[in-house]
Amino acid sequence: MADRSDIEPHTEDNEGGSEHALAIDTVVVYERGRWAVDIIVVFADGIVRKRIDNHPTQARAELSARMIKRAAERDIRGPLNG
């Protein structure tokens, strides 16, 4: 798991219009007795990592992570790489 200090926040382009995501991934981490789902979005100028939710079991968290990733990938323009 990447340390949160290694992830730089994404900044909007000042010339108008927002930049499109290049890749999306989800991760499940065990934290304080619960399973958390984070989404990681890669932009050309940085990476954003956000906590989505937490669940009582690993199975529920992994199911949630898969569903979130599939829904987010629909919003990426162009063919998916892998």
Side-chain angles (χ1 to χ4, degrees):
M1 181 177 103
D3 184 62
R4 286 184 184 260
S5 62
D6 295 340
I7 299 173
E8 297 176 10
H10 170 72
T11 56
E12 293 279 331
D13 191 12
N14 291 335
E15 296 178 10
S18 63
E19 199 172 326
H20 297 288
L22 301 175
I24 296 172
D25 199 9
T26 54
V27 293
V28 174
V29 293
Y30 185 72
E31 201 171 273
R32 291 179 283 196
R34 302 212 18 119
W35 295 91
V37 178
D38 291 356
I39 188 167
I40 301 169
V41 184
V42 179
F43 294 95
D45 62 346
I47 298 172
V48 177
R49 181 179 183 148
K50 294 284 184 180
R51 174 74 34 98
I52 299 299
D53 201 1
N54 61 59
H55 301 274
T57 66
Q58 183 177 8
R60 283 188 182 228
E62 289 174 352
L63 176 64
S64 175
R66 285 193 306 269
M67 291 171 46
I68 290 166
K69 183 176 180 176
R70 283 180 25 193
E73 284 176 338
R74 283 188 233 135
D75 292 337
I76 296 179
R77 295 189 179 176
L80 296 177
N81 297 321

